[in-house]
Amino acid sequence: MYTFSNRLKITSIVLMIIGALGIVGGFVMAPGSIEEAKAIVSSHDESHGDVHVVEASQTPQENNHAEADTHGEEHDASHDQHLLDKLQNRPWAALYVAAFFFFMIALGVLAFYAIQRASQAGWSPLLFRVMEGITAYLVPGGIIIFVILLLSMLHMNHLFIWVDEDVVAHDALLLGKSGYLNPTFFLIRAAIFLAGWIGYREYSRKLSLRQDESEDNSNFKLNFRISAAFLVFYLISESIMSWDWIMSVEPHWFSTLFGWYIFASMFVSGITVIAMVTIYLKSKGLLPDVNNSHIHDLAKFMFGMSIFWTYLWFSQFMLIWYANIPEEVTYFVTRITDYNLPFFGMVAMNFLFPVLLLMNSDYKRINWFVVMTGIVILAGHYMDIFNAIMPSTVGDQWYIGIPEIGSVLFFTGLFIFWIFRALASAPLQPKRNPFIEESKNFHY
Amino acid sequence: MASKVIHAFYDDDDVLMLAVKRVKAAKLHIEEVYCPFPVHGLDKAMGLAPTRIAITSFLYGCVGLVVSVVMMNYIMIDDWPQDIGGKPSFSYIENMPAFVPIMFELTVFFAAHLMVITFYLRSRLWPFKEAENPDVRTTDDHFLMEIEIHDNEQELKDLLMDTGAVEINVTEKNSH
């Protein structure tokens, strides 16, 4: 039985407090009026020197800049309003990216857990309690996401432009999509998905705990069946969720493999967190039967899924880059012009690091190596979500500053607090899982 | 130099594993073990050094990557930078996404094929090679342990008999 150590509890609470201050600070610093927004941008430009001005006037081949300038002259007022919206979006987007990132870790772990149950894996039952502990975060994380989405639908921010009736009324494309992208249906879908994921998690956990005390394997068999059924639901709901929660911040753009792409991101982050929590608990001597072959397997998954993520990232990017159809390519044009370093930096973090560091079979067994790679992978996938949300919500006004770091710290604290509290609520090793002996003797 | 070797036959891989451990414990050198199928853990029990073939494969993959990059940089960018469907051929990086499928495939191609060829060379395998198994039964259902004899024939025989060998032969070692 694990007891939530006081040091970890205090650390997580401190993280939450600092993070909450950062989040509040982000909202306070956001401009309230167009004048304030202009002041922020001009002071920003001055501090950077005259580089921006020179760039805009002396490089006529940069069509984006030239276009934006003529637009600005024609509709000065709407340009200013646009700038204000972007700056006001920043704390919201920072909060949303961090909230989604940590929720997606828990959801990725849930998918991994369901696959382990449905495939009757022999190596992983020792880690089931770790996975169940991490998926406990689905409840608070899901509620926070839902509240953010609800506030967005209530016009508290401009994260989703299709919520604004005025914009939709003058936009034929959005009007055409309004049968799907409308606030009521959007919230109903979100509620159904969250209910399905949380429902499976809670029921599976209950069966898992009941199996420890039971006389036969009926709970285990039922858990196997509902896990297989859940995977079908998950595949559909995850795909739709990615269109709703991520792709619809850019409602003029669409991509068919987007659902898989987001899935790969959440899956690899989830497995990384399983590995890190397992290594932490093992270092405290709480998982005596977990050996370095289990860590090796998790690291193999981290390695393989990182490549899978890259494959999907590249497939999406290359197909659109190659064909270069204007309505699709704007997505990457904004990212490459305004987010060059984060956009390509994340590919290095999510691909080059894991591929080079985890290729060696011996390195996959070294705890500090797995943790170090895991930190890079998690930071890389935070940047992945950052790159998905920010360009459409704050545009070129992005920066990784107080609102972003504050949000990450807050959710890190909440995540740690919640999952270790859940880990402390049940014995860390399942007692009578049919595969537990195989798992204890697992050796690769 | 002709030397005598002892061939101990086993009909079970678990018995073989125990025998190998006994012989190693007796500080005797095992020349070779012939098996009809891979016996998990036999290399560890015999104390064989781990294979380095994965390292060679990684290096071959790097070679393949370099070959593909140099080749396409020369053909598409340096030699004849034509405008093909508006693809930017001013520098390698600008047209890089279009080259990635080839870079990937050549990396895999080099890594796989050169590693297989390395394996054939190191294990001395080729089409008209003369088979080396000392007894045909070792390809079907028997395991054979070969130990060189240094004036200790009877002692060795006793030890091997004790480990559960089903048959023990002493033969001249055929030099291959």
Side-chain angles (χ1 to χ4, degrees):
Chain A
M1 194 82 178
Y2 168 67
T3 42
F4 196 170
S5 75
N6 255 330
R7 225 168 53 179
L8 196 63
K9 194 180 277 178
I10 291 165
T11 312
S12 65
I13 290 170
V14 167
L15 282 173
M16 275 193 273
I17 292 168
I18 298 172
L21 288 175
I23 293 172
V24 172
F27 279 102
V28 171
M29 286 189 306
S33 66
I34 288 171
E35 285 68 35
E36 281 179 53
K38 279 178 160 172
I40 288 174
V41 175
S42 63
S43 71
H44 189 72
D45 278 352
E46 273 163 31
S47 66
H48 273 255
D50 295 304
V51 189
H52 270 275
V53 187
V54 176
E55 225 175 65
S57 59
Q58 290 193 343
T59 48
Q61 71 268 35
E62 268 188 39
N63 288 328
N64 289 322
H65 268 279
E67 241 170 63
D69 283 353
T70 49
H71 262 285
E73 280 157 29
E74 279 166 34
H75 324 279
D76 216 17
S78 75
H79 183 80
D80 291 345
Q81 181 61 42
H82 187 54
L83 177 69
L84 176 65
D85 285 352
K86 285 198 285 192
L87 286 170
Q88 283 180 335
N89 263 344
R90 197 179 143 197
W92 282 100
L95 189 68
Y96 186 52
V97 169
F100 181 79
F101 176 67
F102 283 94
F103 179 77
M104 115 180 159
I105 290 174
L107 193 56
V109 173
L110 189 71
F112 189 74
Y113 172 78
I115 290 171
Q116 297 303 308
R117 285 216 174 264
S119 63
Q120 306 200 354
W123 66 279
S124 52
L126 270 183
L127 306 174
F128 275 173
R129 285 293 140 75
V130 176
M131 298 184 212
E132 286 163 9
I134 298 170
T135 52
Y137 180 75
L138 282 174
V139 178
I143 290 170
I144 290 170
I145 291 259
F146 193 80
V147 168
I148 296 175
L149 294 178
L150 184 68
L151 293 176
S152 305
M153 296 304 119
L154 294 172
H155 306 285
M156 296 290 285
N157 57 51
H158 308 95
L159 287 181
F160 302 91
I161 54 161
W162 52 265
V163 179
D164 195 329
E165 285 96 349
D166 285 344
V167 175
V168 175
H170 296 98
D171 190 323
L173 279 173
L174 293 187
L175 210 54
K177 291 181 184 181
S178 60
Y180 181 78
L181 281 183
N182 65 70
T184 324
F185 191 25
F186 180 89
L187 288 177
I188 291 171
R189 285 196 301 269
I192 291 172
F193 298 158
L194 286 168
W197 301 330
I198 293 171
Y200 164 71
R201 191 267 160 194
E202 297 302 324
Y203 190 45
S204 181
R205 162 80 162 179
K206 207 172 85 182
L207 290 175
S208 176
L209 291 179
R210 210 191 277 160
Q211 170 70 20
D212 275 5
E213 310 303 329
S214 76
E215 302 291 312
D216 58 10
N217 286 334
S218 57
N219 294 300
F220 176 81
K221 286 181 192 160
L222 182 58
N223 217 343
F224 164 73
R225 280 201 293 275
I226 65 162
S227 298
F230 168 75
L231 284 171
V232 177
F233 171 77
Y234 172 79
L235 208 65
I236 299 165
S237 57
E238 189 275 334
S239 206
I240 299 175
M241 174 275 277
S242 74
W243 311 336
D244 280 2
W245 297 3
I246 310 281
M247 200 156 77
S248 86
V249 294
E250 184 92 51
H252 293 124
W253 182 79
F254 49 86
S255 166
T256 39
L257 62 69
F258 200 75
W260 284 106
Y261 170 67
I262 297 293
F263 163 74
S265 210
M266 65 170 66
F267 204 52
V268 69
S269 320
I271 294 163
T272 304
V273 171
I274 297 174
M276 290 166 91
V277 173
T278 307
I279 289 171
Y280 171 77
L281 291 173
K282 192 172 161 49
S283 74
K284 300 276 164 204
L286 292 155
L287 290 170
D289 288 328
V290 171
N291 56 43
N292 64 9
S293 290
H294 293 97
I295 304 298
H296 184 259
D297 257 31
L298 286 168
K300 266 193 285 189
F301 266 109
M302 285 160 66
F303 175 77
M305 287 301 139
S306 288
I307 296 173
F308 179 62
W309 175 88
T310 316
Y311 163 63
L312 292 176
W313 175 85
F314 183 71
S315 300
Q316 178 166 280
F317 172 72
M318 197 262 244
L319 283 183
I320 291 174
W321 171 87
Y322 211 116
N324 206 18
I325 301 172
E327 71 241 40
E328 286 181 351
V329 85
T330 48
Y331 186 82
F332 289 112
V333 169
T334 51
R335 276 155 185 80
I336 291 171
T337 16
D338 296 333
Y339 289 74
N340 203 292
L341 182 64
F343 186 64
F344 292 109
M346 114 190 144
V347 181
M349 288 162 95
N350 292 341
F351 176 65
L352 286 182
F353 265 82
V355 160
L356 294 177
L357 296 183
L358 290 180
M359 193 184 291
N360 191 319
S361 183
D362 295 333
Y363 291 171
K364 292 197 200 76
R365 294 172 186 276
I366 302 172
N367 286 346
W368 66 266
F369 229 91
V370 176
V371 170
M372 186 179 70
T373 320
I375 290 168
V376 176
I377 290 177
L378 287 180
H381 285 282
Y382 172 78
M383 287 317 296
D384 184 20
I385 303 302
F386 186 87
N387 277 307
I389 299 287
M390 288 295 177
S392 321
T393 50
V394 302
D396 54 0
Q397 298 301 319
W398 72 277
Y399 192 72
I400 297 186
I402 290 168
E404 287 79 10
I405 294 168
S407 302
V408 170
L409 291 182
F410 175 77
F411 283 103
T412 311
L414 181 65
F415 189 78
I416 292 173
F417 182 80
W418 205 273
I419 71 168
F420 282 95
R421 217 189 56 144
L423 284 168
S425 69
L428 280 178
Q429 186 162 317
K431 259 190 286 206
R432 63 180 307 282
N433 185 302
F435 292 107
I436 197 74
E437 280 307 314
E438 183 181 344
S439 183
K440 279 183 198 169
N441 295 309
F442 173 66
H443 174 76
Y444 171 76
Chain B
M1 193 186 86
S3 60
K4 280 169 104 186
V5 290
I6 196 159
H7 283 168
F9 289 79
Y10 297 87
D11 57 2
D12 188 283
D13 50 337
D14 289 335
V15 179
L16 173 79
M17 283 290 282
L18 288 173
V20 166
K21 283 172 192 161
R22 285 275 305 273
V23 172
K24 289 301 279 187
K27 304 270 185 216
L28 289 163
H29 177 67
I30 301 170
E31 282 292 305
E32 194 66 88
V33 175
Y34 296 88
C35 304
F37 54 78
V39 177
H40 195 77
L42 184 60
D43 53 339
K44 278 216 179 87
M46 287 174 71
L48 299 181
T51 172
R52 286 170 295 187
I53 200 148
I55 300 168
T56 68
S57 180
F58 177 75
L59 297 175
Y60 296 146
C62 296
V63 172
L65 184 65
V66 171
V67 166
S68 65
V69 170
V70 170
M71 177 180 77
M72 277 176 302
N73 185 52
Y74 175 68
I75 297 172
M76 302 301 288
I77 311 295
D78 287 348
D79 191 33
W80 198 353
Q82 246 198 141
D83 184 341
I84 302 163
K87 283 276 160 289
S89 48
F90 306 108
S91 69
Y92 189 80
I93 197 74
E94 271 183 299
N95 211 359
M96 214 258 311
F99 303 145
V100 166
I102 299 152
M103 287 156 67
F104 170 75
E105 293 294 348
L106 278 188
T107 307
V108 175
F109 180 89
F110 274 64
H113 289 83
L114 292 179
M115 178 179 78
V116 168
I117 293 168
T118 307
F119 167 73
Y120 286 154
L121 292 175
R122 288 293 289 141
S123 6
R124 307 175 157 277
L125 285 174
W126 55 85
F128 299 102
K129 182 194 165 73
E130 204 183 327
E132 282 174 4
N133 61 322
D135 192 294
V136 285
R137 286 172 294 169
T138 59
T139 64
D140 183 18
D141 61 350
H142 275 69
F143 304 83
L144 187 156
M145 193 196 303
E146 182 179 287
I147 301 173
E148 209 162 321
I149 297 171
H150 301 285
D151 307 324
N152 54 353
E153 191 173 329
Q154 197 51 47
E155 196 185 323
L156 254 178
K157 269 187 180 166
D158 292 345
L159 173 72
L160 291 171
M161 219 51 217
D162 202 36
T163 58
V166 290
E167 187 182 325
I168 291 178
N169 297 334
V170 178
T171 50
E172 293 289 315
K173 188 176 170 72
N174 52 338
S175 48
H176 25 250

